[in-house]
Amino acid sequence: MNHGPRSAARNRAALVAAAREIYAEHGLDAPLSAIARRAGVGQGSLYRHFPDRAAVVAVVLEENVRQIEQAATAEDACFEGILGVLTWHLTESAAFIAFLRADEASVRPDVRAHALALAGRVERALLRHLPGGRPPDARRPAAADDIMLAVAMVSGAATGPTRQERERRALKAWRLLGVEVGPVRPFEE
Amino acid sequence: MNHGPRSAARNRAALVAAAREIYAEHGLDAPLSAIARRAGVGQGSLYRHFPDRAAVVAVVLEENVRQIEQAATAEDACFEGILGVLTWHLTESAAFIAFLRADEASVRPDVRAHALALAGRVERALLRHLPGGRPPDARRPAAADDIMLAVAMVSGAATGPTRQERERRALKAWRLLGVEVGPVRPFEE
């Protein structure tokens, strides 16, 4: 057994990947033990990296938001493409939808503050490429206000037992809003 | 103390009214004891009428759906008016939004079946007055499919710390969908 730093980094990456899968399949209520089992690491290792469920969820959300930001800063970035990556996370990750509803009363204040910060990063990534461009534009403020409301609307529609069904409903929701969306996929460098 | 049937009916009505208020203010996680306190009845009386939280929620949902059905069968019923009553419940009752998301994996099968039945009743109430009317209409099947997706989208938008804020966001969401909505209010006979 190698407990050195390289092994620790490998275990952590395996745990994050497993958490993404488990949460996509079973939702946020899935037990942490299922994540350790999927990652092929011991419970001890899990708790060393992630003291509780909130810590795991925070890492998965951070990774989702980072992918959206990368899609927004890629050389060939366009609004439709970023929406495609966003829609992937909406349909793949129950955690991602839960954080979009963070302004509801029952959420803990610290979790809520973190969720609002993440939502702000998603909003800024989208606004970089909002059709109409960055220069002053009479329609711009309204459109900027509306984009996160539209994302919340699509997240409300993205329900269903399978990712495919959630994607079908999300794309129909974007269509009802008259918004074009690029390929629905994770961002890959 | 009068424990006769009339007193029991009064206690039950007081408990349902209190449950609606408490859930609107604090969400579904509010403790049952808060409902008993608000209704001014003892815990024993609460548990006699409602053995557990699910029983309370079921009664509140039933009452919401019944109001929407009454709005749809009223003499002067119109699509905009029914949507106004629906939107009232979306913004007033966290329980109502939760049941619209019932097809998510983590929900118990019996709760899910009940939620689907309630959603079906809401859909039928809306379809009675869908613009385009009941006769055969080429646009009709698509519109019928879309209406519950649109409701899910508006429920996704109807977040915020106060009912007023949730109403503001819900009405903006209907506007983005190009759907006209009547006065947002409960149905009163």
Side-chain angles (χ1 to χ4, degrees), chain B:
Chain B
M1 295 261 281
N2 171 7
H3 289 295
R6 214 168 331 162
S7 163
R10 220 168 26 234
N11 280 352
R12 189 176 191 282
L15 284 166
V16 171
R20 298 175 68 81
E21 288 175 18
I22 293 281
Y23 287 151
E25 291 164 23
H26 305 289
L28 284 181
D29 293 336
L32 289 181
S33 57
I35 294 171
R37 208 161 38 240
R38 176 75 58 100
V41 309
Q43 298 258 21
S45 178
L46 171 66
Y47 290 113
R48 243 188 331 276
H49 289 288
F50 302 109
D52 58 22
R53 182 197 309 271
V56 184
V57 172
V59 168
V60 170
L61 289 182
E62 173 65 32
E63 164 69 12
N64 291 353
V65 172
R66 207 177 51 80
Q67 281 194 23
I68 293 165
E69 289 177 327
Q70 287 181 312
T73 51
E75 214 171 315
D76 57 348
C78 67
F79 192 65
E80 291 76 13
I82 307 166
L83 284 186
V85 174
L86 172 74
T87 302
W88 168 265
H89 291 295
L90 281 182
T91 57
E92 197 248 0
S93 167
F96 195 71
I97 290 193
F99 104 75
L100 286 171
R101 301 190 68 87
D103 51 359
E104 268 153 46
S106 62
V107 173
R108 278 163 37 197
D110 57 332
V111 175
R112 184 167 172 256
H114 183 227
L116 287 176
L118 290 176
R121 286 168 57 190
V122 172
E123 183 169 18
R124 282 191 294 282
L126 288 169
L127 288 182
R128 274 177 84 109
H129 297 279
L130 193 69
R134 297 188 70 72
D137 174 342
R139 291 175 321 137
R140 181 71 192 294
D145 270 6
D146 291 349
I147 185 64
M148 290 307 279
L149 193 76
V151 169
M153 292 171 74
V154 174
S155 81
T159 60
T162 64
R163 205 203 64 78
Q164 281 68 27
E165 172 64 6
R166 294 193 288 273
E167 176 173 326
R168 192 189 66 77
R169 287 174 56 94
L171 289 177
K172 199 165 170 188
W174 284 121
R175 254 193 324 276
L176 287 182
L177 287 165
V179 174
E180 298 241 1
V181 178
V184 176
R185 61 185 177 200
F187 180 78
E188 275 153 36
E189 284 154 288

Side-chain angles (χ1 to χ4, degrees), chain A residues 3-73:
Chain A
H3 287 298
R6 216 167 329 161
S7 163
R10 220 167 29 233
N11 280 352
R12 190 177 190 283
L15 283 166
V16 171
R20 297 175 68 82
E21 288 175 20
I22 294 280
Y23 287 149
E25 290 163 23
H26 304 289
L28 284 182
D29 292 335
L32 289 181
S33 57
I35 294 171
R37 207 159 40 240
R38 177 75 58 99
V41 308
Q43 298 257 20
S45 179
L46 171 66
Y47 290 113
R48 243 189 330 273
H49 289 289
F50 301 110
D52 56 22
R53 181 197 310 269
V56 184
V57 172
V59 168
V60 170
L61 290 181
E62 172 66 31
E63 164 68 13
N64 292 354
V65 171
R66 209 176 50 80
Q67 281 194 24
I68 293 166
E69 289 177 326
Q70 286 181 312
T73 51

